[in-house]
Amino acid sequence: MATLSRKSFSYMPKQLAQCNNSTSHPTPSPTFVPFSELQQQLRLLESQLVSTIESCTNLAQIKQVHNHILRKGLDQRCYVVTKLVRTLTNLNIPMDPYPRSILDQVKCPNPFLYSAVIRGYSIQGLLTESVKVYGLMRKEGVGPVSFTFSAILKACGSVLDVGLGRQMHAQSILIGGFRSDLFVNNTLIDMYVKCGFIECGRKVFDEMPERDLISWTGLIVAYAKLGDMESARELFDGLPVKDMVAWTAMVTGFAQNAKPREAIEFFERMLDTGVGTDEVTLVGVISACAQLGAAKYADWIRDIVQKPGSGASHTVVLGSALIDMYSKCGSVDDAYKVFKGLKDRNVFTYSSMIIGFAMHGHADAAIKLFNEMVKTEIKPNEVTFIGLLTACVHAGMVEEGLNMFESMETHYGVKRSADHYTCIVDLLGRAGRLTEALELAETMPIKPHGGVWGALLGACRIHGNPDIATIAATHLFELEPNAIGNYIMLSNIYSSAGRWNDVSQIRNLMRKKGLKKNPGCSWIESKKGVVHEFFSGNMTHPMSNEIKQVLMDLLDRLEANGYKPNLCSVPYNMSDEEKKHILMTHSEKLALAFGLIVTSPGCPIKIMKNLRICQDCHLFMRGASQIMGREIIVRDNMRFHHFHNGICSCGNFW
């Protein structure tokens, strides 16, 4: 006991008895504490200090606790100072000079203190400093722990430094003990995935002796983001226990990769297993319902979202998603009901509703809602103006659109993007002001993307200008060399102008590149909520005979009313009769005939299409709406067309 220092006694819980002023009592002898009890009291004090450190919320509090640590002589206790460094990091205090100085003042740092400093540098994006501390650690002969590697590997993933990541991967193997470490391997998978080397991440996964949900879901999410849903599904099927994260990854993955049916199927399976859902899951399946455009699924998912106790129906994120879904399902009135029912609204909910009005041709309603939003002092953003400009484009409101474009930066402080310029090029082009549209595309202050030139090319198709179309297409072929739609549109423009040699050159170029046109597909929902698909030229539907008869009868009535097929919609050099046959088997016409058969008289017919509606089908739908006395709603890949009494909501600015 003679070796105990004064400093040791300073943090004993039992203090020396105080001397009494009376001389009649002798001074008591000091009470010695057993060493085991001293250690226990020391651990208790450390635990209390760590708890105090964790409760600190600012630098001043941390410094007070640090001063207390110094006074108590605990500045060499790695357990305490490690927590000090980690808390400083969590409070975003720069590593230099304060947190780093804590490490420098410890004579014998342990691997956890080194790792805390490495983690701090990594979080602050100072990867080089992290590596320097790791080098110092190895030089001092201190062996790393799993947290050491995970900190540096996370930083490598954040800055996409796969080279250093591979070096640290090798270090974790060479040093030994970490080849089988679950925590390190999960971080390796994450690092390789973020750096774009998913196959390396998969190799790590395949060689892991032990895996957890993080191991599986990390790769499932990665494959889904890459669009490789086959690999994602393979991993998912092999997952022993499927949690909400894994299910959500599949639902959102299918939705994001334009596979709405699969997304809805997985969501239904998810519900059947009793796994809970969250906002991310619901947004994913809402997106799938929006893509499918079926009212049955729209109402189904709305009921799930608004189910009592879900706690999800009041969020602005889900509200915005529901607005978008109903708008894309052709029910803009239902979308507006959702909007009006939201207690909280922000720029995203307003923008979603404005875009919904825009895609249905309700430009006045979109502008009115924008003015209402501004009065509530909600500041518009880039998306808001895309909705407004799109509304003007679809309604042919040229001057209004130009004024809004001008006011974006000057009045609202919203920076113009290439998407906004796309809207203006489209606006001018549809109005026939092709020269102005071309000049804007060539002189805009930011580099135009494919959308700008695509809008100009589309305008050239409407107004039959093959010369400007050639200029626009030349830019598109450079920016989007494998986008087959651009080649087809230019070919159509040339065929309409009778420039068959140019058509042949475009067709040869497409064959040389191996480009194939996606088949036209339209789908329609029957009374029972079943979605029926139709492909152009394909007459294999069970009701094909009835569909053909309805089309022939409708064609006779339309021709008697003055309808003449727009043969320019067929970009092939063939006879007029062959062109007429092709036009009559376009997918949207097949869907229309089916809709006339299975829906009640007077009910609207809603058709969804994967490609842009052609000029002849647009003309056909206008005539059919007048003759049959039915509203026909067609959603193509550009917008909604509401045909009523021979008039389309787009005003032929489709």
Side-chain angles (χ1 to χ4, degrees), residues 314 316 323 336-350 369 372 376 378:
H314 302 298
V316 292
I323 291 168
Y336 191 59
K337 287 178 183 177
V338 173
F339 174 81
K340 295 295 287 185
L342 290 173
K343 294 181 180 179
D344 297 318
R345 300 173 193 158
N346 62 9
V347 64
F348 302 107
T349 51
Y350 271 101
L369 188 61
E372 175 188 314
T376 62
I378 294 177

Side-chain angles (χ1 to χ4, degrees), residues 187-228:
T187 314
L188 277 168
I189 292 173
D190 182 67
M191 184 273 296
Y192 280 124
V193 165
K194 286 180 177 175
C195 292
F197 290 78
I198 192 170
E199 291 308 315
C200 294
R202 179 61 184 266
K203 190 172 187 297
V204 172
F205 175 87
D206 290 338
E207 295 176 354
M208 290 172 66
E210 179 188 1
R211 302 166 185 152
D212 62 5
L213 277 171
I214 296 175
S215 317
W216 292 86
T217 55
L219 271 180
I220 290 172
V221 171
Y223 278 126
K225 286 183 177 179
L226 288 175
D228 187 357

Side-chain angles (χ1 to χ4, degrees), residues 239-410:
L239 181 58
V241 180
K242 300 170 177 65
D243 68 346
M244 184 175 66
V245 176
W247 281 105
T248 299
M250 295 302 296
V251 172
T252 57
F254 279 122
Q256 290 168 358
N257 288 286
K259 296 180 182 293
R261 296 182 189 277
E262 291 88 342
I264 293 171
E265 173 199 337
F266 264 77
F267 182 72
E268 289 177 321
R269 286 173 55 191
M270 181 179 182
L271 294 179
D272 290 340
T273 60
V275 177
T277 61
D278 64 3
E279 189 174 79
V280 178
T281 322
L282 293 171
V283 168
V285 74
I286 288 171
S287 172
C289 293
Q291 293 175 46
L292 201 56
K296 167 192 171 184
Y297 291 110
D299 294 338
W300 168 67
I301 192 61
R302 181 198 59 193
D303 291 341
I304 292 174
V305 171
Q306 296 180 344
K307 188 176 181 180
S310 67
S313 59
H314 302 298
T315 69
V316 292
V317 173
L318 282 171
S320 300
L322 286 171
I323 291 168
D324 178 68
M325 177 190 70
Y326 272 116
S327 297
K328 289 179 178 176
C329 288
S331 303
V332 70
D333 291 339
D334 287 327
Y336 191 59
K337 287 178 183 177
V338 173
F339 174 81
K340 295 295 287 185
L342 290 173
K343 294 181 180 179
D344 297 318
R345 300 173 193 158
N346 62 9
V347 64
F348 302 107
T349 51
Y350 271 101
S351 298
S352 293
M353 194 64 248
I354 288 171
I355 290 173
F357 282 136
M359 70 173 67
H360 286 273
H362 301 332
D364 291 337
I367 295 171
K368 180 181 177 182
L369 188 61
F370 171 75
N371 293 331
E372 175 188 314
M373 179 181 105
V374 173
K375 288 180 181 178
T376 62
E377 298 185 352
I378 294 177
K379 185 178 179 181
N381 61 14
E382 289 187 4
V383 178
T384 314
F385 278 100
I386 288 175
L388 285 169
L389 294 174
T390 300
C392 293
V393 169
H394 290 163
M397 300 168 63
V398 180
E399 295 307 319
E400 292 88 340
L402 292 174
N403 290 335
M404 286 181 185
F405 183 71
E406 179 64 28
S407 69
M408 279 179 59
E409 290 186 347
T410 58

Side-chain angles (χ1 to χ4, degrees), residues 10 28 34 71 76 91 100 103 108 126 141 325 377 392 447 474 496 502 533 547-548 558 568 578 595 598 601 605 622:
S10 68
R71 288 198 304 271
Q76 298 299 309
L91 292 175
R100 174 56 192 268
L103 170 67
C108 298
L126 302 172
M325 177 190 70
E377 298 185 352
C392 293
K447 185 177 180 180
T474 300
S496 297
D502 291 329
E533 284 185 333
I547 290 171
K548 183 177 180 181
L558 285 172
C568 293
E578 289 175 310
V598 300
I605 297 175
R622 284 172 52 195

Side-chain angles (χ1 to χ4, degrees), residues 34-76:
F35 188 69
S36 60
E37 185 177 342
L38 183 63
Q39 286 184 312
Q40 183 179 354
Q41 295 296 329
L42 181 59
R43 284 193 293 270
L44 178 61
L45 180 57
E46 287 182 337
S47 178
Q48 291 171 343
L49 281 170
V50 166
S51 178
T52 303
I53 292 170
E54 289 176 335
S55 67
C56 293
T57 58
N58 57 60
L59 182 59
Q61 293 174 350
I62 285 282
K63 287 185 174 180
Q64 286 181 356
V65 178
H66 193 184
N67 286 333
H68 186 70
I69 291 170
L70 291 169
R71 288 198 304 271
K72 291 294 184 181
L74 297 176
D75 55 305
Q76 298 299 309

Side-chain angles (χ1 to χ4, degrees), residues 376-570:
T376 62
E377 298 185 352
I378 294 177
K379 185 178 179 181
N381 61 14
E382 289 187 4
V383 178
T384 314
F385 278 100
I386 288 175
L388 285 169
L389 294 174
T390 300
C392 293
V393 169
H394 290 163
M397 300 168 63
V398 180
E399 295 307 319
E400 292 88 340
L402 292 174
N403 290 335
M404 286 181 185
F405 183 71
E406 179 64 28
S407 69
M408 279 179 59
E409 290 186 347
T410 58
H411 190 71
Y412 297 100
V414 178
K415 189 176 181 180
R416 297 172 188 145
S417 70
D419 291 332
H420 298 112
Y421 280 95
T422 297
C423 291
I424 297 303
V425 169
D426 198 12
L427 182 69
L428 293 170
R430 288 170 188 261
R433 296 160 64 169
L434 295 175
T435 303
E436 292 178 65
L438 174 61
E439 183 180 352
L440 179 61
E442 291 177 331
T443 60
M444 55 188 281
I446 52 181
K447 185 177 180 180
H449 55 35
V452 174
W453 297 110
L456 183 59
L457 183 63
C460 291
R461 188 193 70 163
I462 295 172
H463 297 287
N465 191 317
D467 295 329
I468 294 181
T470 302
I471 298 172
T474 300
H475 288 283
L476 283 169
F477 294 164
E478 293 178 0
L479 294 169
E480 304 169 349
N482 296 319
I484 188 170
N486 299 326
Y487 297 87
I488 292 173
M489 188 173 293
L490 182 61
S491 176
N492 290 347
I493 294 170
Y494 284 152
S495 67
S496 297
R499 293 168 53 168
W500 296 109
N501 287 336
D502 291 329
V503 171
S504 179
Q505 288 182 10
I506 296 298
R507 295 284 172 180
N508 289 335
L509 183 59
M510 289 168 60
R511 282 192 291 270
K512 184 178 179 181
K513 288 179 170 288
L515 302 177
K516 294 182 179 180
K517 179 182 177 181
N518 292 327
C521 176
S522 297
W523 56 98
I524 184 172
E525 189 177 4
S526 67
K527 283 183 180 180
K528 297 180 180 179
V530 178
V531 177
H532 293 256
E533 284 185 333
F534 297 90
F535 291 88
S536 293
N538 188 319
M539 299 295 291
T540 59
H541 191 275
M543 296 179 62
S544 288
N545 290 333
E546 294 96 320
I547 290 171
K548 183 177 180 181
Q549 186 60 51
V550 168
L551 278 177
M552 291 300 101
D553 293 343
L554 185 57
L555 178 62
D556 289 342
R557 295 179 64 181
L558 285 172
E559 287 181 335
N561 207 38
Y563 163 75
K564 292 183 180 180
N566 187 328
L567 301 182
C568 293
S569 296
V570 181

